[in-house]
Amino acid sequence: MIVTDWIHSIAGFFIIVGLALGFDCGGNPIFVHQYFLFLPLFVGLNLFQFGFSKFCPLGIILKKLGVPETRKGGGSCCGK
C-alpha cells in the first residue's frame, strides 16, 4: 500500500468509528457521547483542506515512517 491508500483507509476508519461512537439512535450499544461526532467532522475538514493546500499531516507522518509514495512495477494492479 502507498501513502494515499493508507490515508484513505485511516480516514475512513476514523469516520466510521466517530459516527458509531457519537450517533445515538436509541438502541446503539456502542454510543458514548455526541461529541464523538466532531471526529468525522475533523477528518472531513482535513480532507477538504487537503484538496486546496495539498498539506496532509498524516501523509507527512507516513512518509517519515517509510511508506512508499508510488507503486513499484509497471503501475498495474498486479505489478506485472
Side-chain angles (χ1 to χ4, degrees), residues 12 17-20 23 25 37 42 44-46 48 53-54 56 58-59 62 64 68-69 79:
V17 167
L19 289 174
F23 186 71
C25 59
L37 293 176
F42 173 74
L45 287 174
N46 193 18
F48 182 74
S53 67
K54 302 300 182 218
C56 180
L58 180 59
L62 290 172
K64 287 185 178 184
E69 292 187 57

Side-chain angles (χ1 to χ4, degrees), residues 36-55:
F36 272 100
L37 293 176
F38 284 113
L39 181 61
L41 174 67
F42 173 74
V43 173
L45 287 174
N46 193 18
L47 290 171
F48 182 74
Q49 69 83 25
F50 173 76
F52 294 104
S53 67
K54 302 300 182 218
F55 173 74

Side-chain angles (χ1 to χ4, degrees), residues 2-11 46-47 49-50 54-70:
I2 60 175
V3 171
T4 55
D5 295 337
W6 278 104
I7 290 172
H8 291 133
S9 299
I10 293 170
N46 193 18
L47 290 171
Q49 69 83 25
F50 173 76
K54 302 300 182 218
F55 173 74
C56 180
L58 180 59
I60 294 169
I61 293 168
L62 290 172
K63 289 174 192 174
K64 287 185 178 184
L65 290 174
V67 176
E69 292 187 57
T70 58

Side-chain angles (χ1 to χ4, degrees), residues 9-30:
S9 299
I10 293 170
F13 174 77
F14 276 110
I15 289 171
I16 291 169
V17 167
L19 289 174
L21 294 175
F23 186 71
D24 185 16
C25 59
N28 185 356
I30 59 173

